[in-house]
């Protein structure tokens, strides 16, 4: 398996063929060599591209040079702490999601970390499977396009994001760019209640306002009128009373 940081894909050789897979590029910032190496091996095994930084300064340099889809950031680091880094990156407008690695008993720092703009945190010692689940959840949330791709099934529809079309059997339905983003977000986050605040923040990239609420409701209504069989009883994008919306995918 070889990761190409320029083309951002992983080449894997299966019997008789070479498979290209687009995977996320992750920066592991961790001063403890054992943990760092274990993380690299594990993430590479799961097909991610991995870069390492051993302290805060190296992490700063790596982020200034490369574009990462996710950063695993140890809180206790020599030179520049994880906290300082996260704060600085967010002030600089860095978009890459950050998962903080914290030690037991650092609950206070953990909360501060989320305030500083971390997307999630995990407490050491953690199981690698748990970490993988967190990473995938954060990637789905922050980059639904990567999670589902350009062509995917959404309930009984076939979605073509590039063409802005969904197809039910032979019936083609045109969708707007915004509707495509909404569909992508639900498809990437199935079987989970998505609050209206979350949907608005992730799709519109803005904090919820009254006007935002109305804008979103209008878009959902319009989208439902295009894709639901019965708009009065939506079965694809369901309403969860008082909580938000949910797309169920068995
Ligand atoms: Ca540390």
């Amino acid at each position: 398996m070889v990761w190409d940081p320029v083309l951002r894909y992983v080449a894997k050789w299966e019997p008789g063929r070479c498979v290209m897979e687009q995977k996320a590029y992750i920066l592991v910032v961790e001063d403890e060599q054992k943990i760092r190496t274990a993380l690299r091996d594990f993430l590479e095994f799961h097909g991610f591209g991995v870069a390492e930084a051993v302290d805060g300064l190296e992490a700063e340099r790596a982020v200034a040079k490369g574009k990462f889809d996710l950063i695993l950031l140890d809180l206790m680091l020599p030179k520049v702490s994880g906290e300082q880094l996260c704060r600085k990156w967010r002030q600089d407008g860095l978009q890459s999601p950050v998962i903080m690695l914290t030690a037991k008993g650092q609950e206070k720092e953990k909360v501060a970390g989320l305030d500083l703009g971390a997307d999630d945190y995990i407490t050491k010692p953690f199981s690698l499977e748990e970490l993988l689940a967190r990473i995938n959840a954060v990637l789905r949330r922050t980059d639904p396009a990567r999670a589902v791709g350009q062509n995917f099934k959404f309930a009984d529809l076939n979605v073509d994001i590039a063409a802005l079309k969904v197809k039910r059997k032979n019936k083609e339905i045109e969708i707007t760019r915004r509707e495509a983003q909404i569909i992508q977000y639900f498809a990437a986050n199935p079987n989970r209640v998505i609050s209206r605040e979350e949907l608005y923040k992730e799709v519109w990239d803005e904090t919820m306002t009254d006007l935002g609420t109305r804008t979103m409701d209008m878009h959902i209504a319009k989208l439902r009128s295009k894709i639901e069989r019965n708009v009065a009883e939506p079965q694809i994008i369901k309403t969860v009373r008082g909580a938000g919306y949910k797309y169920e995918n068995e």
Side-chain angles (χ1 to χ4, degrees):
M1 194 155 58
V2 179
W3 166 256
D4 183 323
V6 179
L7 297 173
R8 306 166 73 73
Y9 64 72
V10 172
K12 270 198 294 198
W13 282 273
E14 290 180 0
R17 66 188 190 132
C18 173
V19 189
M20 301 295 192
E21 233 181 287
Q22 256 209 318
K23 278 282 194 171
Y25 192 27
I26 299 180
L27 175 65
V28 176
V29 188
E30 167 65 76
D31 56 313
E32 278 170 76
Q33 198 238 321
K34 253 187 172 165
I35 300 181
R36 201 172 61 242
T37 307
L39 286 173
R40 170 189 271 275
D41 287 351
F42 178 75
L43 293 172
E44 283 185 344
F45 177 80
H46 285 277
F48 295 104
V50 181
E52 295 174 30
V54 303
D55 60 41
L57 288 178
E58 258 195 43
E60 281 188 313
R61 277 198 295 272
V63 165
K65 266 200 320 217
K67 186 184 177 302
F68 297 98
D69 300 298
L70 190 137
I71 299 169
L72 286 183
L73 181 62
D74 184 28
L75 197 62
M76 301 290 275
L77 286 169
K79 296 182 186 169
V80 188
S81 77
E83 222 175 314
Q84 286 170 291
L85 280 174
C86 196
R87 185 188 300 122
K88 183 178 177 298
W89 285 337
R90 289 300 181 241
Q91 279 169 356
D92 293 350
L94 182 79
Q95 297 287 321
S96 310
V98 172
I99 298 180
M100 284 217 170
L101 311 176
T102 65
K104 251 209 173 102
Q106 291 182 324
E107 268 70 23
K108 226 177 71 202
E109 286 86 345
K110 217 148 69 178
V111 176
L114 292 181
D115 285 345
L116 293 175
D119 295 80
D120 201 357
Y121 56 80
I122 189 161
T123 308
K124 292 181 197 171
F126 48 80
S127 85
L128 289 170
E129 295 304 328
E130 165 77 9
L131 178 68
L132 183 65
R134 299 286 188 93
I135 289 174
N136 284 328
V138 168
L139 288 174
R140 274 199 303 275
R141 205 165 66 220
T142 52
D143 194 354
R146 178 191 301 280
V148 290
Q150 296 283 303
N151 295 279
F152 54 92
K153 270 190 83 74
F154 188 59
D156 62 339
L157 302 161
N158 288 304
V159 182
D160 184 340
I161 292 289
L164 293 180
K165 275 181 181 138
V166 299
K167 228 170 160 182
R168 174 174 279 135
K169 296 211 176 94
N170 290 321
K171 193 184 163 213
E172 256 189 13
I173 307 158
E174 286 189 15
I175 52 172
T176 63
R177 169 68 46 201
R178 190 65 87 189
E179 288 163 349
Q181 282 177 292
I182 296 170
I183 289 177
Q184 248 178 348
Y185 196 73
F186 277 109
N189 294 277
N191 308 317
R192 175 163 83 75
V193 177
I194 293 167
S195 72
R196 297 161 83 222
E197 287 79 7
E198 176 183 338
L199 188 66
Y200 194 68
K201 182 175 170 290
E202 300 297 338
V203 173
W204 274 263
D205 202 18
E206 279 168 38
T207 315
M208 196 78 157
T209 57
D210 281 352
L211 182 63
T213 312
R214 285 199 297 278
T215 305
M216 190 178 60
D217 290 349
M218 272 159 45
H219 276 87
I220 294 284
K222 188 82 200 285
L223 178 59
R224 279 173 166 167
S225 75
K226 291 183 181 182
I227 64 172
E228 296 283 355
R229 288 170 190 276
N230 176 4
V231 180
E233 261 181 76
Q235 292 303 307
I236 302 177
I237 298 175
K238 292 185 180 172
T239 297
V240 183
R241 291 238 170 274
Y245 302 107
K246 190 163 152 190
Y247 162 61
E248 280 163 19
N249 180 20
E250 56 294 331

